[in-house]
Amino acid sequence: MGTVTLGVSIAVPEPYGSFLQRKRADFGDLAAPGIPTHITLLPPTEVSADALPGIERHLAEVAAGCRPFPLRLEGTGTFRPLSPVVYVKVTEGVTDCTALQARIRAASGPCARELQFPYHPHVTVAHGIDEAAMDRAQAGLRDFCATWTIGGFALYEQGPDAVWRLEREYPFGPRTAAVPRQAADLSRPPAASC
């Protein structure tokens, strides 16, 4: 039946998601239009298409056992020189994100996998671009700040065109609303919430 490439992440809600995606494109990251702004919980993972029902059940079970938690993004950081990435820092919610991704990737579940680097929740705003553009990204968003309450996570699938598309949202608990989807309007700057 073939394979698919999946990822699980927390969407950055509006207006912040579109703003950061537009900034990523402005810095020269050509992949930006195909990657919704997010915090990764399960990095791109190739799986058999036959495994999807089991993965979806597992993600629903994980989400049902979770409660909303506060999250704050503030300032920038980088993984350079180890990895060519500039990111917006997660400054509140780190422990919750770390625990959530560990449950998703549990060794006994269908999403078990080793990570190339230790888990570090963040929002990528530049990846694999020239050093001057990376410096602009790191300096240009150093005052960025956003806060919200995370109400769930989502499963994405990467298409043959390298665009990540939302497949399914997983709200926490039985009655909590999911994180809103990102709008297509990338032109509005966000209002400050910090």
Coordinates of all heavy atoms in Angstrom, one line a residue, residues 9-14 16-19 21 35-39 156 166 169 179-186:
S9 N 2.4 17.8 15.6 CA 2.8 19.1 16.1 C 1.7 19.8 16.7 O 0.5 19.5 16.6 CB 3.5 19.9 15.0 OG 2.5 20.2 14.0
I10 N 2.1 20.9 17.5 CA 1.2 21.8 18.0 C 1.2 23.0 17.1 O 2.3 23.6 16.9 CB 1.7 22.3 19.4 CG1 1.7 21.1 20.4 CG2 0.8 23.4 20.0 CD1 2.4 21.3 21.7
A11 N 0.1 23.4 16.6 CA 0.0 24.6 15.7 C 0.1 25.8 16.5 O -0.4 26.0 17.6 CB -1.3 24.6 14.9
V12 N 0.9 26.8 15.9 CA 0.9 28.1 16.5 C -0.3 28.9 16.0 O -0.5 29.0 14.8 CB 2.2 28.9 16.2 CG1 2.2 30.3 16.7 CG2 3.4 28.1 16.7
P13 N -1.2 29.3 16.9 CA -2.5 29.9 16.5 C -2.3 31.3 15.9 O -1.3 31.9 16.0 CB -3.3 29.9 17.8 CG -2.3 30.1 18.8 CD -1.1 29.3 18.4
E14 N -3.4 31.7 15.3 CA -3.5 33.1 14.7 C -3.6 34.1 15.8 O -4.2 33.8 16.8 CB -4.6 33.2 13.7 CG -4.4 32.3 12.5 CD -3.1 32.5 11.8 OE1 -2.6 33.6 11.8 OE2 -2.6 31.5 11.2
Y16 N -0.4 34.7 15.3 CA 1.0 34.4 15.4 C 1.6 33.5 14.3 O 2.7 33.7 13.8 CB 1.4 33.9 16.8 CG 0.8 34.7 17.9 CD1 -0.2 34.1 18.7 CD2 1.1 36.0 18.1 CE1 -0.8 34.8 19.7 CE2 0.5 36.7 19.1 CZ -0.4 36.2 19.9 OH -1.0 36.9 20.9
G17 N 0.8 32.4 14.0 CA 1.2 31.4 13.0 C 1.5 32.0 11.7 O 2.6 31.8 11.1
S18 N 0.6 32.8 11.1 CA 0.8 33.4 9.8 C 1.9 34.4 9.8 O 2.7 34.5 8.9 CB -0.5 34.1 9.3 OG -1.5 33.1 9.1
F19 N 2.0 35.2 10.9 CA 3.0 36.2 11.0 C 4.4 35.5 11.0 O 5.3 36.0 10.2 CB 2.9 37.0 12.3 CG 4.0 37.9 12.6 CD1 4.1 39.1 11.9 CD2 5.0 37.6 13.5 CE1 5.1 40.0 12.2 CE2 6.0 38.5 13.8 CZ 6.1 39.7 13.1
Q21 N 5.2 32.5 9.8 CA 5.4 31.9 8.5 C 5.8 32.9 7.5 O 6.7 32.7 6.7 CB 4.1 31.2 8.1 CG 4.3 30.3 6.9 CD 3.1 29.4 6.6 OE1 2.0 29.8 6.9 NE2 3.3 28.3 5.9
I35 N 5.2 24.8 5.2 CA 5.3 24.3 6.5 C 4.5 25.3 7.5 O 5.0 26.4 7.8 CB 6.8 24.3 7.0 CG1 7.6 23.5 6.0 CG2 6.9 23.8 8.4 CD1 9.1 23.5 6.3
P36 N 3.3 24.8 7.9 CA 2.6 25.6 8.9 C 3.5 25.8 10.1 O 4.2 25.0 10.5 CB 1.4 24.8 9.2 CG 1.2 23.9 8.0 CD 2.6 23.6 7.5
T37 N 3.3 27.0 10.8 CA 4.1 27.3 12.0 C 3.7 26.4 13.1 O 2.5 26.3 13.4 CB 3.9 28.8 12.3 OG1 4.2 29.6 11.2 CG2 4.8 29.2 13.5
H38 N 4.7 25.8 13.7 CA 4.4 24.7 14.7 C 5.5 24.5 15.7 O 6.6 24.9 15.5 CB 4.1 23.4 14.0 CG 5.4 22.9 13.3 ND1 5.9 23.4 12.1 CD2 6.3 21.9 13.7 CE1 7.0 22.8 11.8 NE2 7.3 21.9 12.7
I39 N 5.2 23.7 16.7 CA 6.1 23.1 17.7 C 6.1 21.6 17.4 O 5.0 21.0 17.6 CB 5.8 23.4 19.1 CG1 5.8 24.9 19.4 CG2 6.7 22.7 20.1 CD1 5.1 25.4 20.6
Y156 N -0.1 15.7 10.7 CA 0.1 16.3 9.4 C 0.7 15.2 8.5 O 1.4 14.4 8.9 CB 1.1 17.5 9.4 CG 0.5 18.7 10.1 CD1 0.5 18.8 11.5 CD2 -0.1 19.8 9.3 CE1 -0.1 19.9 12.1 CE2 -0.6 20.9 9.9 CZ -0.6 20.9 11.3 OH -1.2 22.0 11.9
L166 N -2.7 19.4 7.0 CA -3.4 18.9 8.2 C -4.2 17.7 7.9 O -5.0 17.8 6.9 CB -4.3 20.1 8.8 CG -5.1 19.7 10.0 CD1 -4.2 19.4 11.2 CD2 -6.1 20.8 10.3
E169 N -7.0 16.8 13.7 CA -6.7 17.4 15.0 C -7.1 16.5 16.2 O -8.1 15.8 16.1 CB -7.5 18.8 15.1 CG -7.0 19.8 14.1 CD -7.7 21.1 14.1 OE1 -9.0 21.0 14.1 OE2 -7.1 22.1 14.1
V179 N -6.6 23.5 19.0 CA -5.9 24.7 18.6 C -6.5 25.1 17.2 O -6.6 24.2 16.4 CB -4.4 24.4 18.5 CG1 -3.7 25.6 18.0 CG2 -3.9 24.1 19.9
P180 N -6.8 26.4 17.0 CA -7.3 26.8 15.7 C -6.4 26.5 14.6 O -5.1 26.6 14.8 CB -7.6 28.3 15.9 CG -7.0 28.7 17.2 CD -6.6 27.5 18.0
R181 N -6.9 26.2 13.4 CA -6.1 26.1 12.2 C -5.5 27.4 11.8 O -6.1 28.5 12.1 CB -6.9 25.5 11.1 CG -7.4 24.1 11.3 CD -8.1 23.6 10.1 NE -8.7 22.3 10.4 CZ -9.3 21.6 9.5 NH1 -9.4 22.0 8.3 NH2 -9.8 20.4 9.9
Q182 N -4.5 27.4 11.1 CA -3.9 28.6 10.6 C -4.6 29.1 9.4 O -5.0 28.4 8.5 CB -2.4 28.4 10.3 CG -1.6 28.1 11.6 CD -0.1 27.8 11.3 OE1 0.4 28.4 10.3 NE2 0.5 27.0 12.0
A183 N -4.8 30.4 9.4 CA -5.5 31.0 8.2 C -4.5 31.2 7.1 O -3.3 31.1 7.3 CB -6.1 32.4 8.7
A184 N -5.1 31.4 5.9 CA -4.3 31.6 4.7 C -3.7 33.0 4.6 O -2.8 33.3 3.9 CB -5.1 31.3 3.5
D185 N -4.3 34.0 5.4 CA -3.8 35.4 5.3 C -2.5 35.5 6.1 O -2.5 35.5 7.3 CB -4.9 36.3 5.9 CG -4.5 37.7 5.9 OD1 -3.5 38.1 5.2 OD2 -5.2 38.6 6.5
L186 N -1.4 35.7 5.3 CA -0.1 35.9 5.9 C 0.3 37.3 6.0 O 1.4 37.6 6.4 CB 0.9 35.1 5.1 CG 0.7 33.6 4.9 CD1 1.8 33.0 4.1 CD2 0.6 32.9 6.2

